Amino acid sequence: MRQNIDYLYAVGDIFTSGNNLDDLLKEAIELTLKKLSIIRLMVHIYQDDIEEIVVDIYSGYSADEIKRGVYKKGEGIVGKVISDGKPVIIPRIGSCPEFLNKTGSRSTQADLDGAFVCVPVRLKDKTIGTISADFSDVEEDFLSYAAEQLAVIAILSAHEISSRIEKQKSERQLVEENRRLNARLSEKIKNIKIIGNSVLMHELFEKIALVSETNTTVLITGESGTGKELVADAIQKNSLRSDKPFIKVNVAALPENLIESELFGHEKGSFTGAVQTKKGRFELANGGTIFLDEIGDLALPLQVKLLRVLQERFVERVGGVETIPIDVRVIAATHQNLEKKIELNEFRSDLYYRLNVFPVNVPALRERKADILALVNHFCEKFSKETQKSINRVSSEAIDMLVAYHWPGNIRELENCINRAVILAEEGVIRSYHLPPTLQIAKNVSGSGSFENMVNNFEKEIIIDYLKITEGNISKAAEMLGTTKRILTYKVKKLEIDCDRFKKIRS
């Protein structure tokens, strides 16, 4: 009797210590394991939102066993206790058909001869979980005593377990909300017609998807030829203004004396040649989106006027006095370092902060070389249709050159490169010698660009192509190349070509 009182005081001290739930339960379980000589113990909690009873805290089980210990209400002993709210005592596990052993932990005869006790964890007349334990070589009277002690733990831990259930429910709701948002994001990414599967491009796609649904001003940065206009197109097409006007202005392409008139419009007679009133690009974009490309080339006086438009949301035509309200989303782009231009007093800092609300950087092609092959395939298909040619593949040597090159002109340079190669290509194959001289020089910059080496590389590329076609058969390759097996074998040995790697493995 005295030992039982001491045990209850010890448990009470644990639950009034002020520690967190994990520590409280673990300490109480540790004490109970020793006191009652428990072999295994589990705390199940009922997750009513998903109608599952799962293991929360345990001792004596493996992680794999715990994963299997999931029940539905009314299923097995644990499910029955959750359903009925009454404790269950099983003197011999092997004699109870309702005991499902879902964890698979009772595999020996000793386990089947053992006993099992499961008590409910109740709060406000609602069963929210169970505490269960395995015993070995005990009398039935002891099992009743053990059930009482486990019930004490259940009563003392009920509020903490309830809090834990609510916390886990909130976490599941957040995970589910995150899953739904990611699903929506993935769907939007599918609608972005920009080629790329690298990590950098996925980050870019996520930014595009996130900012598209807002009216936020976007500043797209990146080197020339990276596809900044494509990013602007993707933002507009996925935006709430997708069915409204989309006006594009290349600031660098407009004469300086006409930029103000082009952007903000002019009144009839406001300057020589203004024979009629003309709406500016901002007015034409009213209700929709305006894309200001190469914004870094805008002259300082016009930067002031653009800033005023962004701040006050109205325009004044050249020579006019009327203020015209506008509702326009602004997307700007530049290949220049605007922060550097601010330091040089060539770009207004207040305009920069107005434009740079949501910055989007488009990575250079050299930073995402994993996308080169996909881009090459896209351009091959595009220019094959235009030239009415059938380009089936790109040789290994040509691919090596394309990947090794640093692409200062980015995707625009790659597009021009493939356009040229498709025009030059014969037999449906783009080879290294169809690529521009700049790529040839880059490949041979290490000093291996002697005439003899260039000829050898040329021969090696062609031989490898035909060995691929013939699956490593030298005789067939020689026949297709119009030479003899002896000559081709000599070339293969000289150029150190491994024919075996082209032979098809058959089962």
Side-chain angles (χ1 to χ4, degrees):
M1 181 68 179
R2 175 66 187 172
Q3 286 182 342
N4 190 32
I5 292 172
D6 289 342
Y7 166 71
L8 292 175
Y9 272 116
V11 171
D13 286 341
I14 289 170
F15 279 100
T16 55
S17 64
N19 292 331
N20 63 48
L21 175 62
D22 277 346
D23 293 339
L24 291 175
L25 287 180
K26 284 173 185 173
E27 285 181 49
I29 285 168
E30 223 172 276
L31 182 63
T32 306
L33 286 168
K34 291 176 184 176
K35 169 71 176 174
L36 302 177
S37 300
I38 293 170
I39 299 171
R40 301 181 191 89
L41 184 141
M42 282 193 293
V43 177
H44 275 89
I45 58 174
Y46 179 49
Q47 300 171 325
D48 57 358
D49 57 325
I50 57 174
E51 297 184 339
E52 281 189 348
I53 306 164
V54 300
V55 180
D56 190 43
I57 295 173
Y58 61 93
S59 175
Y61 294 87
S62 69
D64 287 336
E65 289 170 345
I66 289 304
K67 287 178 185 176
R68 296 192 290 266
V70 179
Y71 294 86
K72 294 290 184 183
K73 209 170 183 181
E75 181 185 23
I77 301 302
V78 171
K80 178 180 172 60
V81 173
I82 290 284
S83 183
D84 298 344
K86 297 175 182 178
V88 172
I89 297 173
I90 302 173
R92 185 178 180 276
I93 290 172
S95 301
C96 180
E98 288 181 292
F99 192 91
L100 302 180
N101 191 26
K102 289 188 79 172
T103 62
S105 55
R106 289 88 177 178
S107 56
T108 68
Q109 188 59 48
D111 290 326
L112 296 174
D113 289 338
F116 182 78
V117 174
C118 184
V119 301
V121 179
R122 295 179 60 79
L123 188 67
K124 295 179 181 178
D125 297 325
K126 183 180 177 183
T127 305
I128 60 174
T130 67
I131 300 176
S132 58
D134 284 31
F135 300 90
S136 174
D137 297 326
V138 291
E139 300 295 328
E140 285 195 37
D141 289 346
F142 177 81
L143 292 177
S144 298
Y145 167 73
E148 291 173 2
Q149 308 311 306
L150 291 175
V152 170
I153 302 295
I155 293 166
L156 292 173
S157 62
H159 281 285
E160 287 81 358
I161 287 177
S162 177
S163 298
R164 190 174 183 84
I165 290 170
E166 289 304 313
K167 181 183 176 184
Q168 291 184 8
K169 185 186 290 187
S170 297
E171 288 173 354
R172 280 195 302 278
Q173 289 170 347
L174 287 172
V175 168
E176 178 58 24
E177 180 64 19
N178 189 47
R179 188 197 62 76
R180 284 198 297 268
L181 289 172
N182 281 331
R184 286 175 60 197
L185 190 61
S186 297
E187 193 58 38
K188 279 195 162 292
I189 287 174
K190 288 178 186 175
N191 296 327
I192 297 171
K193 307 301 181 185
I194 301 174
I195 295 167
N197 200 37
S198 60
V199 173
L200 285 176
M201 290 307 288
H202 272 279
E203 289 174 359
L204 175 63
F205 296 155
E206 288 176 7
K207 283 189 175 181
I208 292 171
L210 287 170
V211 78
S212 292
E213 292 184 341
T214 71
N215 285 315
T216 303
T217 302
V218 180
L219 179 62
I220 306 168
T221 58
E223 297 177 8
S224 294
T226 51
K228 296 186 291 296
E229 187 174 344
L230 287 177
V231 172
D233 288 342
I235 292 171
Q236 192 275 336
K237 285 176 183 174
N238 287 284
S239 74
L240 302 172
R241 299 171 183 248
S242 58
D243 58 342
K244 301 295 191 299
F246 184 34
I247 305 298
K248 297 181 180 182
V249 185
N250 188 322
V251 174
L254 294 173
E256 192 172 334
N257 61 330
L258 293 178
I259 292 178
E260 184 177 1
S261 170
E262 285 294 327
L263 290 178
F264 311 123
H266 63 254
E267 298 290 347
K268 181 180 178 180
S270 57
F271 56 84
T272 305
V275 294
Q276 61 183 9
T277 298
K278 178 185 176 181
K279 289 183 178 181
R281 304 290 181 91
F282 272 91
E283 277 188 80
L284 294 173
N286 196 24
T289 306
I290 190 166
F291 174 49
L292 302 174
D293 199 6
E294 298 302 348
I295 193 69
D297 289 327
L298 193 65
L300 281 169
L302 286 170
Q303 289 179 29
V304 178
K305 295 188 177 183
L306 176 60
L307 177 63
R308 189 181 178 199
V309 170
L310 295 178
Q311 286 175 332
E312 301 180 15
R313 295 290 166 177
F314 66 77
V315 295
E316 289 182 4
R317 296 176 186 153
V318 176
V321 293
E322 181 186 1
T323 59
I324 303 165
I326 55 163
D327 171 25
V328 177
R329 183 189 191 173
V330 176
I331 302 174
T334 182
H335 72 281
Q336 301 184 56
N337 185 335
L338 295 186
E339 292 178 352
K340 187 69 176 176
K341 286 179 74 75
I342 290 169
E343 290 177 12
L344 299 171
N345 293 319
E346 294 175 358
F347 202 87
R348 293 181 63 95
S349 59
D350 45 6
L351 175 58
Y352 172 71
Y353 294 124
R354 277 281 174 181
L355 294 172
N356 197 40
V357 178
F358 192 93
V360 175
N361 180 256
V362 187
L365 186 55
R366 63 180 171 275
E367 296 171 348
R368 56 182 190 105
K369 288 195 173 183
D371 296 325
I372 286 177
L373 288 182
L375 288 162
V376 168
N377 289 334
H378 169 73
F379 291 134
C380 279
E381 186 178 340
K382 174 185 175 182
F383 295 119
S384 292
K385 288 178 182 176
E386 289 183 9
T387 58
Q388 296 185 335
K389 281 190 170 184
S390 178
I391 303 298
N392 301 318
R393 62 192 180 85
V394 182
S395 73
S396 301
E397 185 75 11
I399 290 170
D400 290 343
M401 283 188 176
L402 290 164
V403 173
Y405 188 55
H406 61 290
W407 299 108
N410 292 293
I411 297 171
R412 189 179 295 126
E413 184 183 6
L414 175 62
E415 182 176 12
N416 294 336
C417 169
I418 300 302
N419 191 1
R420 174 186 188 273
V422 169
I423 292 169
L424 295 174
E426 299 171 355
E427 302 174 352
V429 182
I430 291 178
R431 303 188 189 278
S432 61
Y433 50 86
H434 296 138
L435 302 178
T438 47
L439 273 74
Q440 313 282 348
I441 293 167
K443 178 72 176 175
N444 296 311
V445 75
S446 61
S448 60
S450 68
F451 177 72
E452 183 180 356
N453 282 336
M454 290 173 73
V455 170
N456 286 340
N457 288 334
F458 175 77
E459 285 186 340
K460 186 173 183 178
E461 181 181 353
I462 293 175
I463 292 169
I464 286 173
D465 277 345
Y466 280 89
L467 285 172
K468 284 180 180 177
I469 294 168
T470 63
E471 296 178 6
N473 189 312
I474 293 180
S475 298
K476 286 184 180 179
E479 186 181 341
M480 293 177 73
L481 287 166
T483 187
T484 65
K485 180 182 178 182
R486 183 181 63 80
I487 292 173
L488 190 58
T489 302
Y490 166 75
K491 292 282 187 184
V492 165
K493 288 181 180 178
K494 178 188 173 186
L495 299 171
E496 299 179 346
I497 300 171
D498 180 10
C499 292
D500 290 337
R501 69 189 178 101
F502 306 113
K503 291 178 180 177
K504 192 172 182 180
I505 299 171
R506 303 184 188 278
S507 56

